[in-house]
Amino acid sequence: MTNGNTITRERIAAMEPRIRPYVRHTPVLRVDMADFDRPPLAVDLKLECLQHSGSFKARGAFTNLLERPVPEAGVVAASGGNHGAAVAYAAMRLGHKATIFVPEVSPPAKLQRIRGYGAELIVGGARYAEALAASEAFAEKTGALQIHAFNQEETLVGQGTLGLEIEQDLPQIDTLLVAVGGGGLIGGIAAWFAGRIRIVAIEPEGAPTLHRAFEAGHPVDAPAEGVAADSLAPKRVGEMMFPIAEAFVERSILVTDDAIIAAQKALWERVRIIAEPGGAAAFAALLSGRYTPAPGERIAVLVCGSNTDPAKF
């Protein structure tokens, strides 16, 4: 298994201009926690929820399609929804066929987005792990290129370009809060910063994948439940990201489903940002008090996905 040492700052920096024509430089919004009925504190929200396909996943998807040869059978991916939408979008932009496997837990908003990008969508299995197994069987049968949502070098490198962009936008920050599912996002970002800022993982209590891995000293199976199960519950973190996380992620903090829902509502009601549960999880740690900043600490929060039904807001 390739280790995290191959996911380097140099590789991320070289990839960024290659994907730049296809991804947005997403904005930063500075908010005051007093606007959320909390003690005054300036916080920068990096709005990757405004990325093409509705999440940061577009970065890894384009990196895979630009770095790896795509066969005539096209590409295949398993996803709770966001990775599938990103792969479908990248394949559409670059002229490739895409087949996406998703579990039954995936919400209609994500299914609609995948179909809208012209991909063949196959829904089956209760959770991500079952969709992944079906996608692997499909790849073996057809020769399609498998694009893993998080345990793939190119995926990690692509997500690492978001770390580069955050540093360009916010060179002064001390701490970045990042939601974790399989770990591709935090792995790529942590590889970019390489210990130069504090990176804190935020996970739902119902899907503590990195939390359990830290306790065990290696990736292990964890529960895959909760309100963010379609984006933050892959059963275990990736083998490739774990050495990076051990080296550069300070700790994992768990948040409740109620805190995630409250963060979703607060982002909409106070600043008119639509975030899906996984996209709001990092902010939930700050809003709920699970993460308490030190005096003078300069904090950024990554809002990483927006693929949810706007009618809920």
Side-chain angles (χ1 to χ4, degrees):
M1 178 67 69
T2 305
N3 64 42
N5 292 333
T6 62
I7 317 301
T8 63
R9 283 174 52 82
E10 293 75 18
R11 197 169 169 194
I12 293 166
M15 196 64 221
E16 198 278 340
R18 291 199 65 197
I19 67 169
R20 177 52 53 198
Y22 304 103
V23 300
R24 293 180 178 133
H25 188 129
T26 51
V28 171
L29 175 66
R30 176 159 292 184
V31 299
D32 189 330
M33 292 305 293
D35 295 335
F36 299 89
D37 303 322
R38 298 294 186 269
L41 175 70
V43 174
D44 290 304
L45 304 179
K46 176 62 170 172
L47 301 181
E48 191 68 6
C49 52
L50 302 179
Q51 186 55 261
H52 288 299
S53 77
S55 82
F56 69 93
K57 298 276 191 179
R59 297 172 183 270
F62 276 108
T63 299
N64 272 279
L65 268 66
L66 293 171
E67 286 281 277
R68 303 167 67 194
V70 178
E72 187 175 343
V75 296
V76 60
S79 170
N82 285 342
H83 177 62
V87 170
Y89 175 75
M92 179 188 72
R93 287 286 306 274
L94 297 174
H96 300 297
K97 178 183 177 182
T99 305
I100 309 298
F101 289 78
V102 300
E104 294 162 2
V105 72
S106 297
K110 295 185 179 183
L111 305 186
Q112 182 179 357
R113 177 152 280 198
I114 292 168
R115 290 191 181 102
Y117 294 140
E120 181 179 355
L121 179 65
I122 301 171
V123 181
R127 288 290 185 265
Y128 168 78
E130 293 166 81
L132 177 61
S135 72
E136 289 170 341
F138 179 89
E140 185 174 349
K141 178 181 178 181
T142 65
L145 178 68
Q146 180 91 27
I147 301 181
H148 199 283
F150 51 88
N151 200 38
Q152 177 76 40
E153 282 189 35
E154 290 79 7
T155 302
L156 283 156
V157 169
Q159 317 314 22
T161 66
L162 180 51
L164 184 159
E165 190 171 299
I166 290 169
E167 185 167 34
Q168 289 176 341
D169 293 341
L170 301 166
Q172 78 284 359
I173 61 171
D174 303 309
T175 303
L176 177 66
L177 306 185
V178 183
V180 174
L185 176 61
I186 202 168
I189 289 173
W192 172 258
F193 281 105
R196 291 177 296 118
I197 66 169
R198 179 184 299 108
I199 296 178
V200 180
I202 312 299
E203 302 182 86
E205 286 185 345
T209 52
L210 184 57
H211 198 86
R212 290 283 181 91
F214 279 157
E215 290 178 337
H218 56 88
V220 294
D221 287 355
E225 305 298 334
V227 69
D230 63 303
S231 59
L232 301 182
K235 194 172 182 180
R236 64 166 61 190
V237 293
E239 298 283 344
M240 290 183 184
M241 69 76 63
F242 188 68
I244 304 171
E246 276 198 308
F248 301 128
V249 175
E250 182 180 89
R251 67 187 187 276
S252 165
I253 293 174
L254 303 181
V255 293
T256 66
D257 278 359
D258 286 347
I260 292 172
I261 293 168
Q264 274 189 287
K265 291 180 178 177
L267 286 169
W268 172 245
E269 291 173 357
R270 304 303 173 93
V271 286
R272 285 301 189 255
I273 293 169
I274 292 180
E276 63 186 273
F283 188 65
L286 196 60
L287 188 67
S288 68
R290 287 287 176 95
Y291 185 83
T292 304
E297 186 176 354
R298 297 166 296 185
I299 295 180
V301 175
L302 183 54
V303 184
C304 58
S306 61
N307 285 321
T308 188
D309 184 356
K312 293 180 179 179
F313 296 90

